Amino acid sequence: MQKTSKLYAIVNGKCPHCRRGDIFTGNTYGFNIQRTNTKCGHCNQRFEIEPGYFYAAMYVSYAMNMIEMISMGFVTYYLSGGRLDFDSVWLYVAVIFLTSLLLSPFNYRYSRIILLHLLSPKIKYNAAYDEP
């Protein structure tokens, strides 16, 4: 029996306990709305361990958003030829705002996945459930 890698489970949004079941219904970007499943369909692991558990995902999402905003500020600076005058402020605001808006579904999904996989000491991987 071959174990599913942790990286595969994180990238594909799989359960941290069995690495088989889906954490979300729907796609990140699509017409069907993505929702967090209450339990894993494969191993029956409950994802929201305690009430309000996913509020901690806001901190992860905030860190992801800050990294994206700072990166887009540097990219805009580089691509605009180093313009930092008052007239170019709206260019920076527009680029950073649109990037944050476009990446918000991604941040929603992966902040919860990172919280479950990397920051949850109560959920441990169990290789016995890692079977098709």
Side-chain angles (χ1 to χ4, degrees), residues 3-4 7 21-22 35 37 39 43 50 56 62-63 65 69 71 78 80 84 87-88 98-99 107 123 125-126 130-131:
K3 291 182 3 178
T4 306
L7 180 62
D22 292 325
R35 288 196 171 88
N37 290 324
K39 292 183 179 182
C43 69
E50 53 197 32
Y62 175 75
N65 201 7
M69 291 170 75
S71 300
Y78 178 74
S80 69
L84 279 176
D87 296 334
S88 65
L98 286 174
T99 302
N107 289 345
I123 301 176
Y125 171 65
N126 188 344
D130 193 2
E131 299 175 349

Side-chain angles (χ1 to χ4, degrees), residues 51-69:
Y53 179 72
F54 286 120
Y55 282 122
M58 289 189 307
Y59 297 109
V60 177
S61 179
Y62 175 75
M64 292 170 65
N65 201 7
M66 291 306 297
I67 291 168
E68 294 158 1
M69 291 170 75

Side-chain angles (χ1 to χ4, degrees), residues 2-10 14 19 117 125 130:
Q2 185 176 355
K3 291 182 3 178
T4 306
S5 72
K6 187 170 195 151
L7 180 62
Y8 175 85
I10 290 172
K14 300 296 181 182
R19 298 183 184 168
H117 276 275
Y125 171 65
D130 193 2

